[in-house]
Amino acid sequence: MSGGLTSGGSTSGGSVNRPAPDRPQITRTAQRWLRTWGADAFAGLLVWFGGLAETVLASWYAIGRLQLIVLVFGMALAVAVARHWPSVALGTVWVVGLLQFSNGLSIMLVQFSVVYIAFAMARWGSTATLWASMLSIPAAVIGGIVFMANIGPQALSLLSGGVPLSQAADVLGVSWRMMSAAFVLALLLVPWLIGLVARLAVRASASEASLEVAEADAARAQRENELAQRESEQAREIAALREEQARLAADVHDVVGHSLAVILAQAESAQFLDDDPVVLKQTMVTIATSARSSLQDIRQVLAGAQQAVVVASAGSFRELVAGVRSSGHEVIVNEVGPVRPLPPELEVVAHRVVQEMLTNAIKHGRRDRPVHVERHWPEGPFAHDLRIEVRNAAARRIADTQPLDVLPAGDAPSPGGQGLGGMRRRVESVGGKLDVRTRDEPEGPIFTVTAWIPVSGR
C-alpha cells in the first residue's frame, strides 16, 4: 500500500525509521552524573535560590539588584564546582570579592558559603591550588579590614548576620576592626585547616593501603622467587642426574662394548684353532678373564669409582692392547716422545678413547690387517697435546657401511660404533678435539680416528 510502512520499516517517501536511543545507556549516564555532580549541583542551587531570595527581600540595599545577582551567581557557581574544580572555585571567589570591593557591595549571607569553599580548596585542590588558597587567606583578611573600614562599625553586624559582635569586642577590649579581622580569619582558616587535615588523613590511609599492597606484592614476589629457586634447584638436580646417567651410560658402553668385542673376537678365533685341548683351554681361560675384568670394571663404574678403572697409564694401555691381541688381532704400537703420567681426569679420558678406538677396530676392521696405535707425547715448548691415533683397514667398502656419527665438514661418513659421539664428547669436555676420517687405498679403505688431548699446564 502506497505511503504505508514497508516490511523493512521505511515510511512513505523512502525514509527509514531510525532506531530508538539506547535508553539503558542514557539511564546509566544520568545515574553516573548524579553520583558525581548531584550533591554539588544541589548545593549550588541552594546558594543560588537563597541568594535570590536575600536580594529580593533586602530592598533596603542602596545598590542595584543586578550586581547582587552577579555576586550570588558567582558564589553559587563556586560552591557547585568547589569539589571537582577547586582552582575554578578559588578564581570565582576572587572575582566576586574584587567585584564587591570595587562596587562597594554590602556583605550577603550567602557569602558565608565561603566556609565550604575554603574547606574544598584544602581537601581536593592540587598542590598549586592549596598554596594559592593558603596565601589567599591573609590577603582576604587584609582586604576585608580595608573593606569594612569603609563601612564602619556596622560591618560587624553585617559580617555576623546581626549578631552583636561589637559587644564582644567591647568585652575583650579590642577594636571592632581587630574583631572583624579575627572573625574573617577564623571564618576562612578553620575550614581550610579542617580540609587540610582531611586531605592528609586520606593520603595517609591511601599510603597505608599502598604499603599493604606493596607488602602483599613483596610477599607474593618472595613466594614466587622461592618457588622459582626450588624449581631451579630441581632443574639443576634433574640436569645433574641426567648428566650422571649419560656419563654412566657412556662408561658402561665403553667397558661392555670393548669387553664384548674382545670376547666375541676370541670366541670366533676358536673355530680356526686345532683340536688341541690345551689351546682350546687357554682360549676359554682368556675369554673368562676378559669377562671377569669387564664385570669388575662395570662394578667400579656403577659404584662411582670411575678413576679406579685406570690404575696407571702404562699398565692400562698395555692391558687394552694385550686384550685385543688375545682376540687374534695384530696390534702395532708406536710411542713417540717421552711417556709421562697424566692427571686422573685426563687419564680416564685417554683410557676411554683408546678403548673405544680399539673396540671399533675389532668390530669393523679386517682380521688379516694390523691395527696401528700411535701415541704422540708433546715435546718442545710449542707442543701441548697428547695425540692418540688408531688406524685399521675397514672390513667393508665405505659405500656399504651405515654412518653412525656426524663427522667434521669435508669428511666422508665412516664406519664406527655409536660410541663415536660419546668419544667426541669426552675429548671436548677436557678441551680437546676428535677427528674421524676414511680414505680409499689400493688395498682397501682405511679408517682413522685421531684425538688431541691437552696435557700441558696441568
Side-chain angles (χ1 to χ4, degrees), residues 14 64 118 131 148 183 228-229 241 319 332 353 363 377 384 402 412 419 421-422 442 446 453:
W131 282 98
M148 287 182 289
F183 185 80
Q229 289 180 351
L241 289 175
E319 290 176 4
I332 300 175
V353 166
K363 293 170 59 178
W377 295 86
H384 305 283
Q402 178 69 27
I446 301 298
I453 302 175

Side-chain angles (χ1 to χ4, degrees), residues 348-430:
V348 172
V349 172
H351 178 84
R352 294 301 186 202
V353 166
V354 174
Q355 189 178 55
E356 182 62 24
M357 289 177 176
L358 292 176
T359 301
N360 287 336
I362 295 173
K363 293 170 59 178
H364 305 288
R366 293 174 55 176
R367 296 180 62 88
D368 59 342
R369 299 289 298 277
V371 178
H372 295 269
V373 180
E374 295 182 0
R375 294 199 302 178
H376 294 258
W377 295 86
E379 290 185 283
F382 301 103
H384 305 283
D385 298 334
L386 166 62
R387 181 166 65 88
I388 304 173
E389 182 177 293
V390 174
R391 299 189 308 274
N392 64 278
R396 294 177 293 176
R397 294 180 57 84
I398 302 302
D400 299 332
T401 60
Q402 178 69 27
L404 298 176
D405 192 30
V406 178
L407 305 181
D411 295 334
S414 304
Q418 295 285 358
L420 285 176
M423 188 174 7
R424 188 187 303 279
R425 286 189 293 271
R426 283 185 185 276
V427 174
E428 292 177 350
S429 68
V430 295

Side-chain angles (χ1 to χ4, degrees), residues 14 35 44 93 95 105 117 121 151 165 180 183 199 214 256 262 274 296 301 307 349 389 409 434:
R35 285 194 302 269
V93 169
V95 170
L105 299 178
I117 298 172
M121 297 299 104
I151 299 178
L165 290 180
S180 300
F183 185 80
R199 179 194 190 99
V256 174
V262 172
D274 297 333
Q296 182 181 2
V301 169
Q307 296 178 356
V349 172
E389 182 177 293
L434 183 74

Side-chain angles (χ1 to χ4, degrees), residues 82-136:
R83 185 161 64 99
H84 300 284
W85 300 330
S87 59
V88 175
L90 179 61
T92 303
V93 169
W94 270 106
V95 170
V96 169
L98 293 175
L99 174 66
Q100 186 174 16
F101 185 82
S102 61
N103 290 277
L105 299 178
S106 300
I107 300 173
M108 302 182 65
L109 291 177
V110 293
Q111 288 185 275
F112 283 93
S113 59
V114 74
V115 173
Y116 170 73
I117 298 172
F119 170 83
M121 297 299 104
R123 172 62 183 87
W124 295 296
S126 63
T127 302
T129 303
L130 180 67
W131 282 98
S133 61
M134 182 183 69
L135 297 176
S136 298

Side-chain angles (χ1 to χ4, degrees), residues 137-160:
I137 293 176
V141 172
I142 296 173
I145 293 175
V146 175
F147 175 74
M148 287 182 289
N150 296 328
I151 299 178
Q154 68 269 23
L156 288 177
S157 298
L158 294 174
L159 191 64
S160 60

Side-chain angles (χ1 to χ4, degrees), residues 184-438:
V184 172
L185 181 62
L187 195 67
L188 297 177
L189 184 60
V190 171
W192 187 88
L193 291 176
I194 294 175
L196 182 62
V197 171
R199 179 194 190 99
L200 296 178
V202 170
R203 289 195 174 183
S205 177
S207 178
E208 183 177 357
S210 300
L211 180 61
E212 293 178 356
V213 172
E215 291 176 349
D217 291 341
R220 183 172 61 255
Q222 183 177 2
R223 291 193 299 270
E224 293 176 352
N225 186 32
E226 292 175 353
L227 179 61
Q229 289 180 351
R230 288 195 297 268
E231 293 177 350
S232 178
E233 292 176 358
Q234 292 176 354
R236 285 194 295 268
E237 292 176 358
I238 293 174
L241 289 175
R242 289 179 177 175
E243 183 179 355
E244 179 64 20
Q245 290 175 350
R247 184 198 64 78
L248 185 62
D251 289 340
V252 172
H253 170 272
D254 293 342
V255 173
V256 174
H258 178 76
S259 300
L260 291 180
V262 172
I263 293 172
L264 180 60
Q266 291 171 343
E268 289 178 345
S269 65
Q271 62 183 325
F272 301 103
L273 299 176
D274 297 333
D275 295 335
D276 186 350
V278 177
V279 176
L280 290 176
K281 182 178 180 179
Q282 182 62 38
T283 301
M284 297 304 295
V285 170
T286 303
I287 292 175
T289 302
S290 299
R292 190 177 297 107
S293 177
S294 174
L295 182 60
Q296 182 181 2
D297 289 346
I298 292 175
R299 286 174 178 172
Q300 289 174 337
V301 169
L302 295 179
Q306 178 183 1
Q307 296 178 356
V309 178
V310 183
V311 180
S313 176
S316 300
F317 179 71
R318 285 194 299 268
E319 290 176 4
L320 289 175
V321 173
V324 175
R325 284 173 175 167
S326 67
S327 66
H329 286 77
E330 181 184 1
V331 181
I332 300 175
V333 178
N334 184 23
E335 295 274 8
V336 179
V339 179
R340 55 175 170 173
L342 297 175
E345 67 275 10
L346 295 183
E347 190 70 54
V348 172
V349 172
H351 178 84
R352 294 301 186 202
V353 166
V354 174
Q355 189 178 55
E356 182 62 24
M357 289 177 176
L358 292 176
T359 301
N360 287 336
I362 295 173
K363 293 170 59 178
H364 305 288
R366 293 174 55 176
R367 296 180 62 88
D368 59 342
R369 299 289 298 277
V371 178
H372 295 269
V373 180
E374 295 182 0
R375 294 199 302 178
H376 294 258
W377 295 86
E379 290 185 283
F382 301 103
H384 305 283
D385 298 334
L386 166 62
R387 181 166 65 88
I388 304 173
E389 182 177 293
V390 174
R391 299 189 308 274
N392 64 278
R396 294 177 293 176
R397 294 180 57 84
I398 302 302
D400 299 332
T401 60
Q402 178 69 27
L404 298 176
D405 192 30
V406 178
L407 305 181
D411 295 334
S414 304
Q418 295 285 358
L420 285 176
M423 188 174 7
R424 188 187 303 279
R425 286 189 293 271
R426 283 185 185 276
V427 174
E428 292 177 350
S429 68
V430 295
K433 62 179 180 178
L434 183 74
D435 181 66
V436 182
R437 296 179 182 273
T438 58

